[in-house]
Amino acid sequence: MAHAIEQSDANTKANELLFRRLTVEDAADAHIAALEKAPQLGFDIFIISAPTPFQPDDCAALIADAPSVVARYFPDYPALYTKKGWTMFSSIDRVYDASRARDRLGFVCKTSFADVLASIEVA
């Protein structure tokens, strides 16, 4: 991101699962899926990232006020983030689209932002 990140490392990683990050485990699984499909597909390029809840219609609002958009999809996130002392990025300027990996490789990351929220709720 072009601006300074104010969040802690864990907070930043949680936020980024909304639009561009994946876990090491998911990265390894994506490589395995690619190796298994290589004989059928040949060469291809894929973006691999956690499933995003965002839709193209969210783009302008994500730039203007990301916390409000995230709250529409995850109404409990503000309270859970307060519990951890975390904050959401004020703006999200890009969202990675992993649909090609889903469609061509049959691969979807197992870990998502919802999983992070579930782990906070349990703690």
Side-chain angles (χ1 to χ4, degrees), residues 24-120:
V24 172
E25 295 82 2
D26 282 333
D29 289 346
H31 280 83
I32 292 167
L35 287 169
E36 290 172 350
K37 290 282 186 160
Q40 297 166 323
L41 298 178
F43 179 81
D44 208 338
I45 296 173
F46 300 97
I47 292 173
I48 307 293
S49 65
T52 183
F54 305 128
Q55 302 298 313
D57 291 348
D58 295 323
C59 291
L62 283 167
I63 290 171
D65 184 9
S68 293
V69 179
V70 176
R72 280 194 315 231
Y73 290 98
F74 302 97
D76 295 338
Y77 112 80
L80 294 169
Y81 263 42
T82 297
K83 180 178 175 180
K84 292 283 285 185
W86 286 359
T87 59
M88 180 52 60
F89 297 144
S90 59
S91 178
I92 294 174
D93 62 358
R94 72 198 69 186
V95 176
Y96 290 6
D97 178 2
S99 63
R100 185 174 181 86
R102 180 196 65 225
D103 297 344
R104 302 260 303 149
L105 292 177
F107 179 81
V108 176
C109 289
K110 292 181 183 108
T111 304
S112 69
F113 183 73
D115 296 313
V116 172
L117 295 182
S119 72
I120 295 170

